[in-house]
Amino acid sequence: MTSGVTIGQAAAFVGVTVKTVRHYHQHGLVDEPQRDTSGYRRYGSEELLRLVQVRTLAAAGVPLAEIGLLLDADAGQFADALADVARQLTERIAELSARLDMLHRLAEGDRALLPERACAVLNRMPGLGFGPDYVAAQREALVLARVLVPEGFEGFLAQLEHQLDDPEYIELVKRGQEAESWEPDDPRIAELANAMADRYLANPALLGSPASQRAWNKAATQYRLINNHRGDQASVSARLTALTEARLRSAGVPIPRR
């Protein structure tokens, strides 16, 4: 009577595929049994036990390259090795959890790149009458500011919050959006720039705190990148900003030069 089972039966009993059993053989984790008189390899209880041990360790996350050493180790070495594997798996779980959180944040939009406070600022804008293009430009500016001038980011957020609380300023900004349809040399642009500068000077909180202004002045290059990132798309808006800033500088406000 032939003893043992075929590789297909062994794989089915253990709960793996024939390919996996052969893979274990290739890594030297399970010795290949001798062939019987019919030319078939027959797996006995010893090989089946080893297959179960290898499969269990592999399913627990132990790399195949380490399984052989584990199975041949004494009790103390085995426990230490399992503790190390547990530590590695814990670190991997934390990494995967962070990636999953990022995927969720990406699915929610702005939260992937901006903190909750910045998202709250952006979420207020449509209700105040700002269109999608304006909100998108502000979102881009916030993302750039957070990366390029992190020490000035909180001040930038506070500045935006003050601006959204000022109805007169909001109306001027909306008028500035309307101005994008004007000719670049339209005299109304200079008039609007003066009106905006006057509003800034009347309500200094709209310009940001002194600490925030110092942070931006130390990062003049980054300021130009952020302030001009859509300049090629709205030449009138860029000119309006330049004129407003020039007027503020003449009044002694420390604004980086574009």
Coordinates of all heavy atoms in Angstrom, one line a residue, residues 23-24 84 90 109 117 136 162 170:
H23 N 7.2 26.6 -4.2 CA 8.0 27.8 -3.8 C 8.7 27.5 -2.5 O 9.9 27.9 -2.3 CB 7.0 29.0 -3.7 CG 7.7 30.3 -3.6 ND1 8.6 30.8 -4.6 CD2 7.6 31.3 -2.7 CE1 9.0 32.0 -4.2 NE2 8.4 32.3 -3.1
Y24 N 8.0 26.9 -1.6 CA 8.7 26.5 -0.3 C 9.9 25.6 -0.5 O 10.9 25.8 0.2 CB 7.7 25.9 0.6 CG 6.5 26.7 1.1 CD1 5.4 26.2 1.7 CD2 6.6 28.1 1.1 CE1 4.4 26.9 2.2 CE2 5.6 28.9 1.5 CZ 4.4 28.3 2.1 OH 3.4 29.1 2.6
D84 N 10.4 40.4 17.2 CA 10.9 41.4 16.2 C 9.9 41.5 15.0 O 9.7 42.6 14.5 CB 12.2 40.9 15.7 CG 12.9 41.9 14.8 OD1 13.1 43.1 15.2 OD2 13.2 41.5 13.6
T90 N 3.8 45.9 13.4 CA 3.1 47.1 14.0 C 3.5 48.4 13.3 O 2.7 49.2 13.0 CB 3.5 47.2 15.5 OG1 3.1 46.0 16.2 CG2 2.9 48.4 16.1
G109 N -10.9 66.1 -0.7 CA -10.5 67.3 -1.4 C -9.4 68.0 -0.6 O -8.3 67.5 -0.4
R117 N -8.6 74.5 9.7 CA -8.8 75.9 9.7 C -8.8 76.5 8.4 O -9.6 77.4 8.0 CB -7.8 76.6 10.6 CG -8.0 78.0 10.9 CD -6.9 78.6 11.7 NE -7.0 80.1 11.8 CZ -6.0 80.8 12.4 NH1 -4.9 80.3 12.9 NH2 -6.2 82.1 12.4
A136 N -10.6 78.7 -6.0 CA -9.5 77.8 -6.4 C -8.1 78.5 -6.3 O -7.1 78.0 -5.9 CB -9.7 77.3 -7.9
H162 N -9.8 87.7 8.8 CA -10.2 89.1 9.0 C -10.8 89.7 7.7 O -11.8 90.5 7.7 CB -9.0 89.9 9.3 CG -8.6 89.8 10.8 ND1 -9.4 90.0 11.8 CD2 -7.4 89.3 11.3 CE1 -8.8 89.8 13.0 NE2 -7.5 89.4 12.7
I170 N -14.7 92.8 1.1 CA -15.3 91.8 0.2 C -15.8 92.4 -1.0 O -15.6 91.9 -2.2 CB -16.4 91.0 1.0 CG1 -15.7 90.1 2.0 CG2 -17.2 90.1 0.0 CD1 -16.7 89.3 2.9

